[in-house]
Amino acid sequence: MPNLKHKIAPFMRALGLSIALLLISACDDAPQVNGEVLSKFDGEKVASSSGNFDLSIWPELPIKPKEASVETKIQEIIAGMTLEQKVAQLIQPEIRDVTVEDMRRYGFGSYLNGGGAFPNNNKHATPQDWVALAEAMYQASVDDTLDGSSIPTIWGTDAVHGHNNVIGATLFPHNIGLGATNNPALIEEIAGATAREVMATGIDWVFAPTVAVVRDDRWGRTYEGYSEDPEIVRAYSAAIVKGLQGGYGESNFLDDDHVISTVKHFLGDGGTQDGVDQGNNIASEQDLFDLHAQGYVGGLSAGSQTVMASFNSWHGKKMHGHKYLLTDVLKDKMGFDGFVVGDWLGHGQIKGCSNQGCSQAINAGLDVFMAPSDAWKPLLFNTIAQVKSGEISESRINDAVSRVLRVKIRAGVFDKPSPANRALSGKLEIIGAPEHRAIARRAVRESLVLLKNNAQLLPLNPNQRVLVAGDAADNIGKQSGGWTITWQGTGNKNNDFPGGTSIFQGIEHWVSEAGGVAELSVNGDYQQKPDVAIVVFGEEPYAEGNGDIATLEYQAGNKRDLALLKKLQARGIPVVSVFISGRPLWVNPELNASDAFVAAWLPGSEGIGVADVLFRAPDGTVRYDFTGRLSFSWPARPDQTVLNRGDENYAPLLPYGFGLRYGEPSTFADNLSELRVPMPHQKAVTERVLFRKSVQLPLTGMAGRVTELQEMSSNVLEVAGLKIRTLDRELQEDARLLEFTGGDAVYALTADQPMDLTNTFGDSAVLRMQIRIGEISDSDVTLSMLCGVNCNGSVNLAPQLRALPRHEWQSIQVALSCFSEAGANLTKIDVPFQLRSRGKLELSFSEIVITNSESAISCN
Ligand code: BGC
Ligand code: BGC
């Protein structure tokens, strides 16, 4: 019998308690405000305009004066609006949690689809489905029968590297790759193409560009930034805003071909300590301007109509509640007269606020709450009540609404036809149009940075035997990174990218055309010895905080790609590495084991752009030389996490601006230091996380029949006998619900290399899970650890699970010794978690970790 302790603690943990309270208030329809509590808990240092700030640092931007006709129209509209209608303009729900009928009832000013949210929850929604939803929402917003309002709503989406939520759209390289092209004119073209693809789906507004100046490359959003240096960011921000919106003050401004843009995330997102997503930026005010605000100088001067507030804090104060920066600096001094939209429930992170109520944010200068989940409804009522009670002034509300209306009037939404009837709507040929793909392919070519080219191995002759290896070679999902169809960019297959090409497909195209042979083999085993190998490998997709890392060392835990490079070199095959990554990483061992090395970043759907550069034309001429230059310094050591142009003692492996061209010699030999430096503040390992918010790399979530498991993605999933859904426990999508339907199915977390659990964990090690049980039949439920052929240990959890209270989160743990006693070899576990049920079972989990138990533990 396993030692299975369960602790029912939801009411004892402070965290649990506050969540329980939030849920209670979220369920209640009635207006409710607790002004006292909200303000009492705001223990943050007050940032008032009279604080130690220096407004003189901030410039007045060349923003055009307001037009009298627009202002008159705003005043007329506002004069006829009720308080409820006004507040509704300031609430932005998300399509997974708001219906067309809600829109008719409340008349929201805007709504969004988050990353991986599609019309009808269908990943394969067609462009017509997108237009149909846009049309229905618009019609509901202008229908005044229930709410008395006929102000058209607008839809915002994260088209951050092309219209990336839509199947078939052109996916451009992520911003880090665009930074390497150092070509603002190209950026403008990309933005123009993106705007057209977005317009074809009836959407009005794009949450881009991200203008973060990324200082610590451990940050999971490094790839969303163009550069570590403000120079490129400022120029690009202007170019992309112009491409998205049209020329500021020109006749094409926000015309039929253009969308509203958002410069984000204001302010300092790229400069948080230790590169922690949503963390704290402690730059001086001068540095905040000189480094982090340059994208706003570029983007707002080019007329961007919206700004998104950032999740991060500046000196401990959350930006969503930062009156000095949002109001005094951005609006009053710099002159921004559009509106500030919040980030995903970002207001709820301000001290004293919750997702359901936050006068502090509005009072600080936030204009629109991004309110996904079911938070929108209590937030709407609470905000109305806060205005009634005087906690938010009527004039602040009027200002916020004026800003929303100003943008809508400028964008012509009052005069334009409805979404389905706009010039580009539903034009299928625009989505993934060949001319857009041609721009993306060019961007891929220009983004590649050649780091090493021994003996001028590149460019390659196409008329030879080329082995193409590595798990990113034929994987459009992996080469596209996060924010690709799904939020994390995981769970996509090549056929989710109709019209796109993998890097292998591009190579094969040029090689076979020239009479050569390209052989694809992920693990590098070949039929016939090749003349050269191209190995395409790198980071798995991730987005936001899920991509935060502790060290810049590539594959710190397991150098399996290095092993592949060495295996090929040992056979006398010249090796070209093509490295897919969202940031520069310490790859000295991989560089040593490569004859040529290309940083390809996250090229997106047009993988063929890589082969365009790697291969000569059949007549021997060079088609395209490398022109990409590093917009991020490349580290010489894994602990050079904050390594930026202009640093004192700047000692990168390759400096900002580096990039070889054909004919130029490598700047280092094959003997770079391979010394693995421990990270200064790397903590002793006390736990091995298998699942927290998501399946932790390098594990993979698999499900199906025990003999035929399939890889799972981050969205809704179904295999024979098992349905898997993502759930929100404390954060968005931080939990999973497994519904075993009674046909003997398995859910497993598998590692690609065996792990030695005895290394870090002693006799008191346990597998600890946060779970919640719903329906459970009386069949066995086995939990196993597997260790290769005929090696496993299983325990039957069914009796204990059945004894648990239903529908409540609890922590349960199983001693690892239970698995070893049952036959598992803990030194070589390749499946640390496998749950199998032959009967019906509804089990949710939010965390699975291996850790040392505080109390003595045994298996009896
Ligand atoms: C991100 C934003 C994004 C928003 C909507 C947030 O978590 O920080 O960049 O625009 O989600 O998906
Ligand atoms: C959502 C994404 C969203 C992200 C923002 C996730 O839970 O699925 O759509 O963009 O949160 O943080």
Side-chain angles (χ1 to χ4, degrees):
M1 192 60 21
N3 177 330
L4 181 95
K5 293 190 183 172
H6 63 267
K7 305 177 196 148
I8 307 170
F11 298 105
M12 294 163 76
R13 287 163 47 227
L15 192 60
L17 181 60
S18 62
I19 288 158
L21 289 178
L22 293 185
L23 289 176
I24 292 165
S25 64
C27 302
D28 197 337
D29 250 6
Q32 23 158 324
V33 155
N34 198 338
E36 238 190 16
V37 173
L38 292 185
S39 44
K40 199 158 76 197
F41 285 145
D42 191 355
E44 295 177 61
K45 278 186 235 99
V46 181
S48 76
S49 6
S50 57
N52 296 327
F53 300 122
D54 184 0
L55 259 184
S56 70
I57 289 173
W58 307 85
E60 285 169 40
L61 298 179
I63 287 175
K64 303 207 183 309
K66 296 176 186 150
E67 290 156 273
S69 60
V70 174
E71 298 307 305
T72 313
K73 181 156 184 196
I74 294 172
Q75 291 320 316
E76 279 168 17
I77 300 173
I78 289 213
M81 288 173 83
T82 63
L83 175 61
E84 287 71 15
Q85 293 166 354
K86 289 177 186 175
V87 174
Q89 287 299 308
L90 311 182
I91 306 274
Q92 180 179 85
E94 206 254 1
I95 60 168
R96 280 172 287 199
D97 288 285
V98 71
T99 63
V100 171
E101 290 317 305
D102 293 328
M103 179 62 83
R104 198 182 317 284
R105 173 77 192 78
Y106 297 104
F108 299 105
S110 58
Y111 63 105
L112 87 150
N113 71 297
F118 323 101
N120 314 316
N121 257 321
N122 173 14
K123 172 171 172 179
H124 293 272
T126 62
Q128 291 95 329
D129 295 330
W130 289 82
V131 173
L133 181 59
E135 179 69 10
M137 284 292 201
Y138 173 97
Q139 293 301 349
S141 71
V142 299
D143 174 349
D144 62 2
T145 50
L146 298 177
D147 58 353
S149 167
S150 52
I151 300 175
T153 191
I154 52 175
W155 178 348
T157 195
D158 291 293
V160 299
H161 66 136
H163 198 4
N164 45 254
N165 288 286
V166 176
I167 297 271
T170 310
L171 300 182
F172 297 91
H174 267 296
N175 289 350
I176 193 167
L178 299 183
T181 70
N182 205 347
N183 184 349
L186 171 65
I187 300 310
E188 192 180 321
E189 279 186 61
I190 290 174
T194 303
R196 290 171 58 78
E197 298 207 12
V198 169
M199 286 302 246
T201 55
I203 297 178
D204 313 83
W205 175 21
V206 157
F207 301 134
T210 295
V211 298
V213 171
V214 182
R215 306 299 283 176
D216 186 325
D217 300 347
R218 288 173 294 181
W219 189 33
R221 306 188 82 153
T222 298
Y223 67 83
E224 294 188 55
Y226 300 114
S227 177
E228 68 191 26
D229 193 87
E231 194 180 317
I232 290 186
V233 177
R234 183 178 52 233
Y236 271 27
S237 179
I240 199 159
V241 167
K242 182 166 184 210
L244 288 171
Q245 296 194 348
Y248 190 34
E250 292 168 27
S251 61
N252 70 353
F253 188 65
L254 291 171
D255 68 1
D256 284 349
D257 275 8
H258 293 92
V259 292
I260 301 164
S261 72
T262 310
V263 198
K264 73 183 187 185
H265 309 84
F266 189 85
L267 182 62
D269 49 352
T272 57
Q273 290 176 290
D274 296 330
V276 171
D277 190 44
Q278 311 191 359
N280 188 23
N281 185 319
I282 54 164
S284 68
E285 189 170 357
Q286 189 66 54
D287 283 350
L288 196 62
F289 173 68
D290 292 345
L291 290 174
H292 300 291
Q294 292 306 307
Y296 300 86
V297 173
L300 300 183
S301 304
S304 184
Q305 291 298 298
T306 74
V307 167
M308 188 182 290
S310 187
F311 279 122
N312 68 272
S313 309
W314 184 46
H315 292 279
K317 185 166 178 73
K318 284 279 172 188
M319 282 304 310
H320 278 66
H322 212 298
K323 177 160 187 302
Y324 172 69
L325 290 170
L326 293 179
T327 300
D328 301 358
V329 168
L330 175 66
K331 293 177 173 176
D332 295 346
K333 184 77 190 280
M334 301 211 283
F336 172 63
D337 64 5
F339 67 85
V340 177
V341 61
D343 202 344
W344 196 268
L345 296 173
H347 58 271
Q349 298 189 11
I350 299 173
K351 279 196 192 123
C353 287
S354 73
N355 294 344
Q356 290 82 13
C358 188
S359 58
Q360 291 93 318
I362 292 280
N363 287 337
L366 188 90
D367 299 306
V368 171
F369 288 110
M370 189 183 283
S373 78
D374 53 7
W376 60 262
K377 196 184 270 187
L379 184 63
L380 174 72
F381 290 127
N382 285 336
T383 308
I384 293 168
Q386 285 161 342
V387 183
K388 287 187 175 153
S389 75
E391 200 178 320
I392 300 173
S393 69
E394 185 104 38
S395 65
R396 175 72 265 271
I397 291 295
N398 285 342
D399 171 56
V401 175
S402 304
R403 289 170 176 274
V404 172
L405 295 176
R406 185 173 296 127
V407 172
K408 289 186 175 182
I409 295 170
R410 286 176 177 163
V413 294
F414 286 92
D415 308 319
K416 277 193 203 179
S418 66
N421 299 301
R422 293 182 188 157
L424 306 186
S425 287
K427 293 214 164 139
L428 292 184
E429 63 280 14
I430 294 176
I431 307 280
E435 60 273 25
H436 297 169
R437 293 190 187 278
I439 300 170
R441 181 168 169 180
R442 170 151 69 94
V444 174
R445 293 194 292 261
E446 294 187 20
S447 69
L448 304 174
V449 184
L450 182 60
L451 303 188
K452 171 173 180 176
N453 193 13
N454 283 359
Q456 299 303 309
L457 175 60
L458 295 176
L460 299 171
N461 167 10
N463 183 12
Q464 53 180 340
R465 269 202 97 79
V466 182
L467 174 69
V468 188
D471 65 7
D474 192 30
N475 191 337
I476 307 180
K478 182 157 173 166
Q479 82 197 22
S480 298
W483 296 107
T484 296
I485 311 179
T486 61
W487 176 40
Q488 292 294 318
T490 47
N492 297 316
K493 297 270 179 287
N494 282 356
N495 58 16
D496 289 323
F497 302 92
T501 45
S502 70
I503 293 173
F504 165 71
Q505 287 164 343
I507 294 171
E508 188 184 39
H509 170 83
W510 287 125
V511 168
S512 59
E513 196 196 70
V517 178
E519 180 181 347
L520 175 68
S521 161
V522 170
N523 69 9
D525 294 341
Y526 43 79
Q527 307 285 323
Q528 197 183 315
K529 189 171 177 196
D531 301 309
V532 64
I534 301 176
V535 186
V536 193
F537 61 95
E539 289 188 297
E540 292 300 326
Y542 52 80
E544 301 189 45
N546 286 340
D548 285 0
I549 51 177
T551 163
L552 292 187
E553 180 176 348
Y554 177 61
Q555 290 190 335
N558 159 15
K559 298 222 176 293
R560 82 193 140 90
D561 290 321
L562 178 62
L564 171 57
L565 303 176
K566 286 187 167 165
K567 170 168 106 177
L568 294 167
Q569 278 198 330
R571 294 179 186 164
I573 303 164
V575 170
V576 177
S577 287
V578 175
F579 188 53
I580 298 296
S581 74
R583 51 191 145 208
L585 287 169
W586 183 72
V587 285
N588 281 9
E590 290 80 6
L591 281 162
N592 288 339
S594 307
D595 297 281
F597 195 104
V598 177
W601 316 110
L602 298 167
S605 62
E606 308 312 299
I608 190 170
V610 175
D612 288 349
V613 182
L614 296 186
F615 288 91
R616 294 175 187 277
D619 67 3
T621 54
V622 171
R623 270 206 189 83
Y624 298 98
D625 199 349
F626 280 89
T627 57
R629 298 273 183 261
L630 294 178
S631 60
F632 283 81
S633 308
W634 200 281
R637 297 159 45 114
D639 58 351
Q640 284 178 316
T641 54
V642 184
L643 171 72
N644 298 301
R645 176 196 196 188
D647 286 353
E648 265 176 62
N649 308 321
Y650 183 57
L653 176 68
L654 297 166
Y656 180 93
F658 179 87
L660 295 175
R661 288 174 181 260
Y662 283 141
E664 291 177 354
S666 303
T667 57
F668 48 79
D670 298 343
N671 58 355
L672 294 173
S673 164
E674 299 197 7
L675 194 67
R676 302 177 61 190
V677 188
M679 291 299 298
H681 352 268
Q682 222 163 315
K683 296 192 201 85
V685 181
T686 54
E687 57 177 22
R688 170 90 196 219
V689 181
L690 308 183
F691 184 97
R692 177 176 288 155
K693 292 199 267 185
S694 58
V695 175
Q696 297 294 296
L697 298 175
L699 300 175
T700 309
M702 309 280 284
R705 302 255 175 248
V706 75
T707 47
E708 46 178 56
L709 295 186
Q710 289 175 44
E711 194 173 325
M712 296 292 96
S713 84
S714 58
N715 279 296
V716 186
L717 272 160
E718 200 163 342
V719 290
L722 176 59
K723 283 191 211 149
I724 304 174
R725 273 197 291 138
T726 53
L727 283 187
D728 295 357
R729 184 183 174 193
E730 294 171 13
L731 298 167
Q732 297 99 29
E733 299 188 5
D734 61 347
R736 300 285 180 275
L737 166 64
L738 305 179
E739 283 177 79
F740 291 90
T741 50
D744 190 10
V746 155
Y747 177 82
L749 300 174
T750 66
D752 43 8
Q753 295 280 318
M755 8 198 243
D756 181 355
L757 299 176
T758 60
N759 241 341
T760 352
F761 304 102
D763 294 344
S764 62
V766 292
L767 180 77
R768 182 176 294 160
M769 299 166 271
Q770 305 289 326
I771 62 167
R772 187 174 67 179
I773 299 295
E775 188 189 353
I776 177 166
S777 69
D778 46 8
S779 319
D780 284 358
V781 178
T782 44
L783 181 65
S784 316
M785 287 199 174
L786 314 186
C787 32
V789 183
N790 291 332
C791 178
N792 62 70
S794 302
V795 297
N796 180 16
L797 287 187
Q800 284 76 14
L801 295 183
R802 254 177 249 126
L804 295 176
R806 295 299 131 83
H807 308 294
E808 278 178 37
W809 284 103
Q810 29 226 312
S811 174
I812 68 165
Q813 57 188 28
V814 181
L816 289 201
S817 56
C818 303
F819 299 104
S820 49
E821 283 168 26
N825 177 349
L826 297 179
T827 66
K828 51 169 201 151
I829 297 294
D830 56 5
V831 180
F833 180 91
Q834 179 187 284
L835 192 72
R836 177 173 185 179
S837 175
R838 293 183 174 78
K840 286 199 173 165
L841 170 67
E842 250 176 58
L843 180 148
S844 310
F845 60 89
S846 65
E847 185 169 279
I848 307 174
V849 295
I850 297 169
T851 182
N852 287 313
S853 163
E854 301 94 50
S855 46
I857 192 143
S858 81
C859 204
N860 295 308

